[in-house]
Amino acid sequence: MATRTAGGICYTLTRKAVKNLNLRVHPDGSAAVSAPKRVPAVAVDAFVLRHAGLIAGARERLDARPGWRTVPEQ
């Protein structure tokens, strides 16, 4: 597990025996990606950048919930 940053989006990268890249935004607002071992880190970064709007939208929805706290954008 490694913490990476792509385009100002901080995320946790986990290498697993999976076939696809998987993106999750946790209730605390943190982003996590699981990726196959064969996918280069730069490809994972590009994936995160392509989904920046989805991550931002999920964080906004979490911010709108009373009592929920999110990770600040970096």
Side-chain angles (χ1 to χ4, degrees):
M1 194 163 29
T3 302
R4 296 187 51 87
T5 303
I9 300 172
C10 186
Y11 68 95
T12 303
L13 172 60
T14 305
R15 300 292 185 159
K16 292 183 172 184
V18 294
K19 292 183 179 182
N20 300 305
L21 293 168
N22 300 296
L23 171 67
R24 285 173 213 73
V25 179
H26 296 287
D28 66 356
S30 63
V33 176
S34 54
K37 294 176 184 175
R38 70 180 186 280
V39 176
V42 293
V44 178
D45 289 345
F47 173 79
V48 170
L49 288 175
R50 281 194 311 273
H51 292 87
L54 181 138
I55 295 168
R59 287 178 173 171
E60 286 177 17
R61 287 189 299 278
L62 289 168
D63 282 339
R65 291 180 176 184
W68 288 83
R69 301 175 83 192
T70 62
V71 174
E73 300 241 356
Q74 296 181 356

